[in-house]
Amino acid sequence: MKRQLGRFIGLLAGFVFAAGALVLPAAAAPAPSSTVVGGTQADQGEFPFMVRLSMGCGGALYTPQIVLTAAHCVSGTGDDAGITATLGVVDLNSASAITAHSTYVYQSPAFSGAENGNDWALIKLDAPVSGSQVATLAVTDSTAYDNGTFTIAGWGAAVEGGAQQQHLLKATVPYVDDATCTKAYPGLVTAASLCAGYVDQGGVDTCQGDSGGPMFRRDAAGGWIQVGIVSWGNGCARPGFPGVYTKVSTYAADIAAAAATL
């Protein structure tokens, strides 16, 4: 089985790495109990915490100056001024887009490959971003939200191997229990991973260019809370293979501790 180890757009022969968008195959079957079959365009201001990163990944604004993304999107820990973050818009070509540049990257020190877990990283920006266009996204430190229906969003490919998107797309996907996900991915590290998608028919998923972006849902107070980070999967929206997301509740304390040092 050829696994797609990280949904980040890379240049390694033999693998299709991804980092941004939602998949809507033309023949996708309707998802049960859901009005979303595949990606639809997000409204301006709907998800003000979404971040597009210039290396072809997504992210979420963790603090006004720190972006939470996937470890496989970055090359290591240290000074890095080479990443541009675009925020505050759903249309990447909008004149209203806010841009900021990285100064430092922190990659989880335990990261050894997306399929092994610890797939999270922090990017410090050159200045805090502010204004009505942007907002931070809370992360869960409890497994209480690791179930139900999740929202995914990104600027990545709308079909497996397709082009990146100019406009932010969104979709909803249901939780997939560990036993079912382990059948699709033998050896899955369930303490590190959270799976979501329509296992039987596929048709809705994150894809190339969505890596590092958030998977989120409403919390008990009705606010958005991040439960996952787009990590990896076998292709995009394939029947039998749900998306695999970094389980944020497992790493929330480590993420907070690292952010406090930046």
Side-chain angles (χ1 to χ4, degrees), residues 38-208:
T40 59
Q41 289 193 352
D43 295 329
Q44 177 60 34
E46 189 172 5
F47 308 123
F49 43 79
M50 291 296 301
V51 181
R52 180 63 171 172
L53 300 169
S54 57
M55 78 287 248
C57 276
L61 198 61
Y62 181 74
T63 76
Q65 199 170 358
I66 297 175
V67 176
L68 176 61
T69 188
H72 74 263
C73 287
V74 301
S75 58
T77 295
D79 294 336
D80 188 337
I83 302 170
T84 300
T86 302
L87 311 92
V89 293
V90 292
D91 182 346
L92 295 176
N93 290 343
S94 171
S96 300
I98 298 170
T99 58
H101 300 281
S102 62
T103 61
Y104 192 86
V105 171
Y106 182 94
Q107 184 187 59
S108 170
F111 178 71
S112 62
E115 73 280 16
N116 298 322
N118 292 283
D119 193 10
W120 63 270
L122 299 172
I123 298 173
K124 185 177 182 180
L125 304 176
D126 52 5
V129 293
S130 61
S132 59
Q133 293 173 254
V134 296
T136 58
L137 177 61
V139 302
T140 185
D141 59 2
S142 167
T143 59
Y145 297 116
D146 292 351
N147 57 75
T149 300
F150 308 117
T151 298
I152 49 178
W155 288 273
V159 293
E160 186 174 330
Q164 301 297 284
Q165 304 296 298
Q166 175 183 325
H167 201 288
L168 182 68
L169 300 180
K170 64 178 181 177
T172 58
V173 286
Y175 167 71
V176 175
D177 65 82
D178 290 346
T180 301
C181 200
T182 301
K183 290 179 181 178
Y185 303 112
L188 179 76
V189 183
T190 56
S193 304
L194 186 64
C195 298
Y198 295 98
V199 178
D200 292 339
Q201 74 268 36
V204 184
D205 197 5
T206 49
C207 195
Q208 295 97 345

Side-chain angles (χ1 to χ4, degrees), residues 244-259:
V244 183
Y245 300 81
T246 302
K247 185 182 288 188
V248 169
S249 60
T250 297
Y251 302 108
D254 293 336
I255 292 169

